[in-house]
Amino acid sequence: MHILIFGASGHVGTGLAQHLSADHRITGIVRSQPEATTAYEPVIVPDWVDRPQAVIDELRRLDASPVDAVIAAVGGWYVDNAMIARGIVSFDEDYSSYLRGHFAACAVSEALAEESAAIAEESGSAHVRHLALNGVASLEACVGSGAISVFGAAQEMLIRVAEAETDSVDYRELKVMAPIGGDDRNDLRGGVETISLPKVAEAVSAVLTRPDEHEISTRLGV
């Protein structure tokens, strides 16, 4: 498959590209040119959240092969002051980084499906597969990470609504129910277990290759 990753330069996106690139072609949408060699082919679109169509335009300009699947590894993790105390500006910034980014990624998947409709009809290819990554914060009221909880919960509904409204994109969500190993931002005091990137990559591959065998929202535990 040709897989497009949003958030490719982040810890999870980078790890997924490394583990999936052996079997798939990986293109990463990034805001700036990576300094080091990457396991994905970087496509630079600085304002992709504001202008999702710019991703389509850049892929067309580069004459990229049709995209089969999209991974939205958008957002991150932090522990800070209480959500209300952080103020409306911080809340808006988190909205832009998380939920708005996932909405833009969905818009790209819809546009990709339209672009590849004729090719898919001729070749019998499956729909574009779209997988959004989410976490345990979407199910729990995480103190110090309130906005992540709010937008994580809303993200699942975004995916469910998008799935209900389209016949051309298979929307799925993977909730990773523990911190992902190797990320220094994780607070692992108290013996918190982590999920390895290879295990996440294996789950991602399973959902993308066999979306019909998975619920719209799937949980990955330790």
Side-chain angles (χ1 to χ4, degrees):
M1 287 190 296
H2 180 193
I3 301 175
L4 190 71
I5 299 182
F6 289 96
S9 61
H11 173 66
V12 176
T14 296
L16 288 179
Q18 291 172 345
H19 290 288
L20 296 173
S21 59
D23 299 312
H24 307 285
R25 177 184 175 185
I26 310 296
T27 296
I29 302 302
V30 294
R31 289 186 169 89
S32 59
Q33 180 66 44
E35 296 182 0
T37 302
T38 62
Y40 59 86
E41 178 183 351
V43 172
I44 303 168
V45 186
D47 55 349
W48 68 267
V49 174
D50 296 319
R51 296 194 310 120
Q53 182 59 38
V55 175
I56 306 300
D57 295 341
E58 187 64 10
L59 291 173
R60 187 185 298 130
R61 187 186 71 81
L62 296 171
D63 197 24
S65 62
V67 173
D68 303 295
V70 172
I71 298 173
V74 179
W77 180 262
Y78 67 79
V79 177
D80 201 344
N81 297 324
M83 179 179 65
I84 304 301
R86 293 184 75 233
I88 191 66
V89 173
S90 294
F91 192 80
D92 285 343
E93 289 174 350
D94 286 337
Y95 164 71
S96 181
S97 298
Y98 292 80
L99 192 58
R100 196 163 181 265
H102 279 282
F103 180 90
C106 289
V108 170
S109 287
E110 295 284 349
L112 288 170
E114 291 180 7
E115 288 240 325
S116 63
I119 298 175
E121 183 175 348
E122 293 174 3
S123 64
S125 299
H127 295 168
V128 171
R129 294 99 184 267
H130 180 108
L131 180 61
L133 297 186
N134 207 341
V136 68
S138 63
L139 300 172
E140 298 180 3
C142 293
V143 175
S145 304
I148 295 177
S149 297
V150 170
F151 298 131
Q155 177 187 315
E156 178 178 341
M157 186 55 69
L158 170 69
I159 297 302
R160 290 186 178 277
V161 172
E163 171 67 14
E165 291 182 341
T166 185
D167 294 323
S168 58
V169 181
D170 293 321
Y171 285 101
R172 298 292 184 272
E173 177 194 63
L174 181 66
K175 290 184 186 291
V176 183
M177 300 300 290
I180 296 176
D183 191 340
D184 293 337
R185 295 171 298 178
N186 292 327
D187 183 358
L188 304 180
R189 290 173 296 183
V192 176
E193 292 187 82
T194 62
I195 296 179
S196 69
L197 270 168
K199 186 173 180 179
V200 175
E202 181 180 358
V204 165
S205 181
V207 175
L208 289 181
T209 55
R210 302 184 301 278
D212 292 342
E213 298 179 11
H214 294 82
E215 300 292 334
I216 293 178
S217 184
T218 298
R219 298 183 187 182
L220 176 64
V222 177

